[in-house]
Amino acid sequence: MKSALLALLLLLTPAFAVQPDEVLKDPTLEARARNIGKELRCLICQNQSIDDSDAPLARDLRLVVRRRLVLGDSDAAVKQYIVARYGTYVLLKPPFEPATYILWFGPLLLLGAGGIAVLAWYRRRPLETSPLTDDERARLQSLEEGDT
Amino acid sequence: MIAELGLYALILALLVAAVQSTVPLIGAARGEASWMNLAPAAAGAQFALVALSFAALIWLHVTSDFSVLNVVLHSHTDKPLLYKITGVWGNHEGSMLLWTLILALYGLAVALFGKGLPPSLRARVLSVQGMITFGFLLFILMTSNPFARIDPAPVNGNGLNPLLQDPGLAFHPPFLYLGYVGFSMAFSFAIAALIEGKVDAAWARWVRPWTLVAWCALTLGIAMGSWWSYYTLGWGGWWAWDPVENASLMPWLAGTALLHSAIVVEKRDTLKGWTVFLAILAFSLSLLGTFLVRSGVLTSVHAFANDPARGRFILVLLGIVTGGSLVLFAARAGSLKASGIFSPISRESSLVFNNLFLSCAAGTVLLGTLAPLIADALHLGKLSVGAPWFNLVVPLLLAPMLLLMPIGPLLAWKRGDLREALRRARFAGVVAIVTILATLAITHAAAILPALGLGLSAWLLFGSLTEWTRRIGLFKKPLAEAFHSARHLPRSVHGMTLAHIGVAIVLIGITGSLAWQSESLLVMRPGDSATIAGTTLRFISVDENARGPNYSATRALFLAEKGGRTVAVMRPERRLYDNPPEPKANVAIHTNLVSDLYVVLGEADAQGGYVVHLFHNPLVPWIFFGALVMVFGGLVSLSDRRYRIDAPRQAARLPTPAEPRAVTVSLRYALPAVAFLALIGVFFWRLNQTGEGDTPNLVPSVLIGKPAPSFDRPPLYPGKPGFKTSDLKGHVTLVNFFASWCVPCRVEHPMLGLVAKSGITVVGIAYKDKPEAAQSLLAELGNPYARVVTDAGGRTGIDFGVYGVPESYLIDKNGIIRFKATGPLTEDMLKTSILPLSEKLK
C-alpha cells in the first residue's frame, strides 16, 4: 500500500486534469465548479487539488461536484457533501474549528508576540541619547561618508 | 576507477573537514597563529577534493558508465549531452554532492577574499564552515554514496524523468543551492561572532555582501523554479504552495529580513542579537527545507528521495547545527552590547517593522507547512493546509509591510519626520489612488482586490522612485546634473531602488495573473479555431510521428491571429520519452511581454480530435521580469565599493572595544532554543512512525459511528441478488471494495475467507471495474463473498469515502459503520480489531 501510494505520488504527469467531456455547458456553473475543485484535496496525490490532478478519483469527485451543482446545490452545500464523505481533510482551506485554531490564530499570535517584543524593546531603551564620545564621533563621521 | 577516485576524494575531503573544523577553532581560542592559518589552506584543499569528486561524477554520467548505480538509475546513452550533465544533480545523491561543492566553494571564497578579516574571526568562520561540510560529507558517505557500483552492469540505464530534461530545471537547482548554501556564510559569521562575543559594523559589512550573494542566487533560483513549473507542467500556474516551494520561500523571507537588519547593525550598531538570530534562522530554514524535501516526512509531489534513514540523519544534523547554535545564542546573545539609539519614527524603526512582518510571514509559511505534522504528532487528527489558506494568510501579512515599504527610505536615521516623509510620498499616493479608481472604472467596480493590488504596486513603484529622484535631483536640476548626481550616488542606493521596483513589478504580475487569467478547454480538430481573450487560434495541422533525440512526439501547429493578422506560430507537443517511457506535454507559449498565450496539447480522442487547453495569462511575464529586476538590484548593490567582498579591510582596523566574554542566559534568548528542540522531538517521533510502516497518507474515515450511506447496487453475476442498504439490517457485515486492477486486493484475498468463516457476512463491491474482469479475478482466486455487486461508476465508493482500493467497512446489525480498514486487510487487523469487534456486535 505504502509503496503503491508513493508510486502514485511520484507519478507526476503533465497536469491535464479537467477534461472537455466534464465541462458543464453553463459557464457560470462551470466557473463555480472550477473554484470548488481548487479547494478540494485530491486524496491520492495529497498536495494537489482535484482540479489539478489527473487521478481517476479526482475526476470522479469533479463529476460529483458538477452533478451537485446542476442539481442546484450552493457552493457550500457541495463542499459539505464531499466533507460528509471524506472528512474536513479534503478541504485545502482548513475550516475554522478548535483543531485548526492554531492555523487561523497562529499568524496573529506570531505578529502579536513579535509586536509586543518590539514594543518592550523600545520601552526598555532610553529614547534620549547620551552625548557622543570622541570614538563614536569619529565613527559617525566615517559612516556618514557612506550614507545611504 | 574514476568512481573510486571520486569516492576517495570525498573521504579525504571528510578528513580535511574534520581538521578544518577543529584545529583553527582551538588555535583561535589559544591565539596560536599557525593553527589559525591552517584554515584557509584546509578550505582550499576541501574545495579541490570535492570539486574532483564532482568532476568524477560528471565524467561517469557523460561517459555513461553503467557499472555505477547512480548512472544506471538516472541516465541513458540516448540522452542529450546537456541532460547527461545536468542529470548529475537531477537525483538525490548528485544534488547532495552539488550542495557540498557549493558549500566548499563558499569556504574557498572566505579563504581567498578574507585576508582583511581579523585572523581569529576568519579562523572561526572557516571552522564553522568546516563543521557544516563535515556533516554533509558524512551524510553523503553514509547514506547517499553516488559512486556505489552495481554488478553486473546493465547494458543501459533507466533514463531521467522527462520533466527534469529541461533547460529550466538544468539551472534551477544550482542557483537554488547557491542561495540555500550561501546563507551558511552569514551563519558561520554569526556563530563566530557569538564565540567572540563581538558584533560590530565591520562584522555587518562582511555579512551583508555574502547575504546579498545568497539572496540574489535564491531569488533567481526560486524564480527559475517557478518559471519551470509554469512552462513545463502545463497548468498555467506558477506557484502551488507545495512544501518544496515553501522550503525555498522560508529562507528567502528570513534572508530578506537579514539583509535589512544587517544594514541597521552596520549603520547604527544595534539590533545585533536579532541579526545574529536571523542569520541562524535563514540557514536553519535552508537545512529544514532540505530535510523536508528528502525525508518523506511530508508528502510532496517533488520528494525524490523519500527515505526515513536519510531523514533521520539530516534531522540529527539539523539538531546539531541549529540546536547547537541556538544554545550558543541563548548563552551569548545577552553579551552583545548595542550602542545605537533610535526613535520609533526612524529609518531603523521602519527596518524593524520590515523584519517583524517578514519573519512573521516566514513563521506563517513554516506553520502552514509543519502544522499537519504537528497535529498528527499530538493526535489532533489530520490537518489539511493547502494553497487557499496560504493565499489568504500570507498576503495579509505582507500587505502592511509593502504599504510601508516606500516610506522607510524617506525617513532619516535615528529620528525621522513621518509627516515630511508622507508629504514627499504624496505623488506616489496620488498615482496609487488614481490607479485604483481607474481599475475600478474600467472593470465596472467588479475587480476590487485587483484594483487594490495594482494600487499597491503603483504606490511601491512611484514611492520607491521618490527618494531616488530626490537624491539625484531629477526634475529639480538640469538633466545632465541629475545624471552626474546619479553616478555619484552610492550603488547600494540604486540597488535598493531597483530591488524595490522589482517587488512592485512582481506584484503587478501576481495581481494580473490572479485576476484576469482566462482559459478554455476544448476538443479541436485540424481546421478548427477557437478564440481566447481576443486572439483566434487556428489549428492548422498535427504531426503524430515527430521524433526528438530520445522521444517520439505528437506535434501540433497553431496560428494565433489577431484582427486577421497572424501574430504567432505555435507548436505545442505531447512527447513520449523512450526511457523512462513517460509522457510530457511541451507547452507552446507566445509572449508579447504583457501577456502570454499558452497552448497545451492533450490526448487524442477516437474521432481525430485533440484535447486543447488554452490559457491567456495577462502580466505573468512580469512576475519573472520583476524577479530579474530584484536580482539585478541586488547585484548593483553588491558592486557598491563598500560592499565588495574584500572591502571591509579598512573597516576591520577600526578600534573595537574588548567585550567581556560573559555567559548570561536569559529566558528571552533561550526561547528559540527551547522551541526548536521541541520541534525536533516532534519530527523524530514522526520519522519513527514513518519507519514503522505508518504512511503519513492515511486519512481517517468520518463515517465511523454513522449509518452506512444509502446504496442499491446491481449484482456482479446476472440473475443473482444485488445489495442495498436495507440488506444490512440484522447482520454484522464487512463491506469490501475491491477491483481486478488492484494489486493489494490480491494480497488481502485470503483474509476475506477467514472473515467469512467467522460468521461475518462479507459483501464485495467491485469498484470501478469491468464486470468480466471482476468475475475472472474471483474465478481465479475464489469467491469469498456472500454477495458481490458492482459499482462501475464509483458513486457508492464516493458515498463511503473510498479513496483507494481495497477498503473494508465493518457494519453492525443496525447498519452503523464501526470500523474501516484502508488498504489490504491483515491477519493482525483481523485478530486485534475486526474479529473481537464483530463478536461484540453479534
Side-chain angles (χ1 to χ4, degrees), chain B residues 247 365 369 537 752:
Chain B
V365 177
T369 313
L537 271 159
L752 293 168

Side-chain angles (χ1 to χ4, degrees), chain B residues 710-760:
Chain B
S710 78
F711 62 93
D712 182 2
R713 302 307 328 170
L716 176 67
Y717 299 101
K720 296 265 173 98
F723 197 77
K724 55 180 183 292
T725 322
S726 59
D727 297 337
L728 290 167
K729 285 270 183 298
H731 311 274
V732 177
T733 313
L734 185 88
V735 172
N736 175 254
F737 286 85
F738 74 100
S740 62
W741 43 264
C742 145
V743 180
C745 294
R746 289 171 173 270
V747 178
E748 80 162 358
H749 189 267
M751 296 299 130
L752 293 168
L754 292 180
V755 176
K757 261 189 213 143
S758 74
I760 300 174

